[in-house]
Amino acid sequence: MTAIDPPPLTLAFSPCPNDTFMFHALVAGLVAADGLRFAPTLLDIEELNARALSPTAGFDVTKLSVATFAAVRARYVLLDAGAALGSGNGPLVVRAAARDDVCDLDALAGRRVAIPGVHTTAALLLRRYAPASVRPVPMRFDRIAKAVADGTVEAGVIIHETRFTYRDAGLVAVADLGEHWEAAERIPLPLGVVAARASLGPERIAAIERGLRASVEHAQREPRASADYVRRHAQELSPEVCAQHIALYVNEYSVSLGARGRAAIAAMLAGDAPTE
């Protein structure tokens, strides 16, 4: 009798250049994961958060915001590889150039501020450092710059590649939420992590983690191998912006969180543990 291969594990991450860069070798079969196979799905980070929060709609392995992990850690295990942590990579609060009345975080009091989803780390940081009276307006991260520019909202919190392109939309930075974090905590800013369903069991989870680490290391060692995959999902970004994005968000913590990375995640979640 011929053995039937088990179905591939569902694997979800964002189409942003840092994720496609890191995950490419794993989904393309360029690195080993103890025989495991993966069926990838690419979604916006807030959609990934929402799917992880659902007991029935989540994936076997998923990227998600650090701010969401506290709510799902009864069902998901944090993986040591594939994370987005670091310095100088935090969400930016921006305004239209003509709105000089929005000059700092205190000036956001009572204002409509676009956020890239209520479950994102960017939203958590805004809650932590801006006035409580801020009126958050959730929308996809790639729509925020336009909403700020056309006056739909009075300010916005931008993430991902918009950090490199917001000036092209006539916007100026009001505050760097990552700088506020680093000044207060003196540790790297944790933004996104990868988690696996606890029900997969320790052996498969360990194999997934090894495969993901190998994938990140392969990408760093042979960046040309993932170039077409990154470009295909990069929403018409220029090669220069893709390269900047990868350089900013893929670093030593993407290979391994280490003790310092785990301490940063614990600090981010302290006192802010959402429930499912």
Side-chain angles (χ1 to χ4, degrees):
M1 182 179 293
T2 303
I4 299 176
D5 289 334
L9 298 175
T10 55
L11 169 66
F13 51 95
S14 84
C16 293
N18 64 310
D19 278 358
T20 51
F21 177 79
M22 290 192 294
F23 283 95
H24 169 258
L26 188 63
V27 300
L30 300 180
V31 296
D34 292 10
L36 296 176
R37 296 178 300 122
F38 299 91
T41 297
L42 280 65
L43 296 170
D44 171 66
I45 186 61
E46 182 68 343
E47 177 64 20
L48 295 175
N49 291 335
R51 297 285 287 271
L53 287 164
S54 168
T56 58
F59 298 92
D60 294 322
V61 185
T62 185
K63 188 75 175 277
L64 71 166
S65 296
V66 170
T68 296
F69 179 68
V72 302
R73 55 186 164 192
R75 294 185 288 110
Y76 281 90
V77 175
L78 180 68
L79 300 188
D80 191 53
L85 284 83
S87 179
N89 61 357
L92 299 180
V93 179
V94 297
R95 61 166 172 84
R99 289 209 68 111
D100 53 9
D101 57 324
V102 182
C103 56
D104 55 24
L105 289 178
D106 288 340
L108 298 179
R111 310 266 191 179
R112 289 167 53 84
V113 179
I115 58 171
V118 296
H119 303 297
T120 60
T121 306
L124 187 158
L125 290 168
L126 185 69
R127 290 197 303 271
R128 188 166 292 187
Y129 298 121
S133 61
V134 163
R135 298 156 60 196
V137 181
M139 62 181 67
R140 271 182 59 100
F141 84 92
D142 53 351
R143 297 172 182 167
I144 290 177
K146 182 179 184 301
V148 176
D150 66 19
T152 301
V153 292
E154 292 152 289
V157 184
I158 57 171
I159 60 173
H160 299 330
E161 55 267 24
T162 315
R163 276 184 119 263
F164 308 106
T165 60
Y166 70 91
R167 295 181 185 87
D168 298 336
L171 307 181
V172 297
V174 172
D176 185 327
L177 295 176
E179 288 183 357
H180 283 264
W181 166 267
E182 291 181 61
E185 304 293 339
R186 305 293 180 183
I187 50 178
L189 172 65
L191 295 167
V193 293
V194 183
R197 286 190 191 276
S199 59
L200 293 173
E203 290 186 6
R204 280 200 289 179
I205 290 173
I208 294 164
E209 190 170 78
R210 287 192 295 270
L212 180 53
R213 178 172 294 109
S215 187
V216 177
E217 291 174 333
H218 183 281
Q220 292 177 319
R221 187 172 60 250
E222 301 182 41
R224 291 184 180 179
S226 64
D228 288 343
Y229 189 70
V230 171
R231 192 177 302 114
R232 189 159 69 246
H233 296 286
Q235 299 183 9
E236 301 182 0
L237 294 176
S238 70
E240 292 76 19
V241 170
C242 286
Q244 288 178 299
H245 186 107
I246 292 167
L248 184 62
Y249 294 108
V250 181
N251 53 39
E252 62 184 289
Y253 298 107
S254 305
V255 177
S256 174
L257 288 172
R260 188 167 171 79
R262 289 180 180 273
I265 292 169
M268 177 65 73
L269 299 181
D272 196 297
T275 57
E276 295 186 74

